[in-house]
Amino acid sequence: MMRSTTFTCMGCEMALWLADDGGDDERSARDLLDSIDARLSRFDPASELSRLNRDPRTTVPASPLLRSAIRAACWAAERSGGLVDPALLTALRRQGYTGSLAGVTAPSLHAALAAAPARRPARPRDADPGWRAIAVDDERGTITRPGGCDGVKIDTGASTKGLAADAVAQLLDGHERYVVDLAGDMRIRAPRPIEVHVEHPLTGAIAHTLEIAEGAVATSGLRRRLWRRPGGGFAHHLLDPSTGEPAWTGLVQVTALAPTALEAETLAKTALLSGPPRARRLLARGGGVLVCDDATVEAVGRPARRRTLQFVHKEVAA
């Protein structure tokens, strides 16, 4: 029997499931998540990330946590071929994503899809060095980005929850079984496979069931972080780096499996931004679930099996 603790952090509902009394480990995990939230939120002007983006210096002293977060964001950019781009903060703000969407009712995804332009895969930026010009120096304890506050502005939101889930899993490494559920990014360890239900973003029903005994699952989609632009039309948080506009690729949600949550989160976003044909290839090895914008569901790589413990897995706004 697993015992759960549910709490709010990063504007989302999160949970830790343990087979025994978590004690100091559980408290340490909560403290770590609170620290990550306080120091890496781009919506809090007092956070270390916000102060970095306002700093006029090209090279800025940074804590180990911020350096790790930005290194992870740049790793995700490199791993995705530039599609998961952490240097799109200015473009996100231009689209209207200036504050947390936690607790805000999103407009109809059906309406947004009906009004969206022709579908096409997103592409990385060609000429602008962007994230490639960011340098993390652990020996000096600094982060360098060109132009200071007038140049590259960094958003670690595409990788922070994955990084946090992996950090919590490391804290819980002494436990035989656990589930770390950070509102869309999960790390699991169990002696038998745990069943994870993937929610359909257009119907709310269970779209598919996955089983995991060891590893991670992450979902990226358009449903929760969707809004109406002040000038009309709809926007969402997954931008095409080549245009700075929302990417409409023919996919509305992707769930990916991988050994770590950072890998799964990066893979899910890369697949969604790539569109259905390439997404199938990206998920073939580890497995996952595609939901197309015509509501069809496609399981890739891993079949579902017999029922065990159940967790509903959905993408959550932040």
Side-chain angles (χ1 to χ4, degrees):
M1 199 66 187
M2 297 184 79
R3 181 183 59 84
S4 69
T5 300
T6 303
F7 53 95
T8 300
C9 188
M10 303 182 195
C12 307
E13 186 175 281
M14 299 182 171
L16 299 177
W17 297 73
L18 292 167
D20 50 17
D21 181 5
D24 291 342
D25 288 340
E26 186 176 303
R27 285 189 290 273
S28 295
R30 293 281 301 275
D31 289 345
L32 174 60
L33 291 170
D34 286 340
S35 178
I36 291 173
D37 187 19
R39 294 162 68 181
L40 299 183
S41 172
R42 73 173 179 88
F43 305 125
D44 181 357
S47 74
E48 188 179 6
L49 177 62
S50 294
R51 296 199 307 271
L52 170 70
N53 283 323
R54 291 196 306 270
D55 200 303
R57 294 172 292 180
T58 300
T59 299
V60 180
S63 70
L65 176 59
L66 183 58
R67 297 199 309 271
S68 294
I70 290 179
R71 183 183 296 105
C74 290
W75 177 90
E78 183 72 44
R79 185 70 173 265
S80 66
L83 290 181
V84 183
D85 190 331
L88 293 177
L89 179 54
T90 299
L92 278 169
R93 289 172 172 167
R94 188 167 55 244
Q95 294 296 332
Y97 194 9
T98 56
S100 173
L101 297 177
V104 178
T105 301
S108 165
L109 180 54
H110 294 274
L113 292 171
R119 290 13 174 196
R120 71 177 185 87
R123 298 188 302 269
R125 288 187 281 185
D126 293 329
D128 187 348
W131 60 271
R132 296 184 184 278
I134 299 169
V136 179
D137 189 329
D138 286 321
E139 185 174 340
R140 296 182 179 180
T142 60
I143 294 167
T144 299
R145 73 269 191 262
C149 60
D150 295 323
V152 174
K153 287 185 169 58
I154 304 170
D155 175 23
T156 63
S159 53
T160 292
K161 277 198 294 156
L163 183 69
D166 291 333
V168 172
Q170 187 173 9
L171 279 175
L172 300 178
D173 190 56
H175 295 261
E176 181 184 10
R177 63 178 72 184
Y178 58 76
V179 176
V180 179
D181 184 357
L182 302 191
D185 291 68
M186 299 175 72
R187 279 290 301 268
I188 294 169
R189 173 190 286 172
R192 295 184 303 278
I194 287 177
E195 192 173 77
V196 178
H197 297 317
V198 179
E199 184 183 52
H200 198 299
L202 291 167
T203 68
I206 300 302
H208 195 71
T209 299
L210 299 164
E211 286 193 348
I212 308 170
E214 182 89 24
V217 57
T219 293
S220 184
L222 312 185
R223 179 185 175 190
R224 306 286 177 175
R225 279 167 282 186
L226 177 71
W227 62 92
R228 289 185 180 273
R229 288 192 277 207
F234 297 88
H236 60 78
H237 70 299
L238 294 172
L239 303 187
D240 182 336
S242 68
T243 64
E245 294 290 319
W248 304 96
T249 69
L251 291 170
V252 292
Q253 182 174 284
V254 173
T255 299
L257 293 93
T260 69
L262 178 59
E263 291 174 280
E265 185 176 42
T266 301
L267 186 57
K269 287 180 170 60
T270 305
L272 193 148
L273 289 164
S274 297
R278 184 167 182 249
R280 295 184 188 103
R281 297 193 297 271
L282 288 168
L283 298 186
R285 181 176 181 181
V289 182
L290 308 178
V291 182
C292 298
D293 58 15
D294 63 0
T296 58
V297 178
E298 182 178 348
V300 181
R302 248 190 193 185
R305 297 190 189 88
R306 183 172 55 84
R307 177 167 299 181
T308 52
L309 300 178
Q310 300 179 21
F311 297 86
V312 175
H313 189 60
K314 61 183 76 176
E315 191 231 358
V316 180

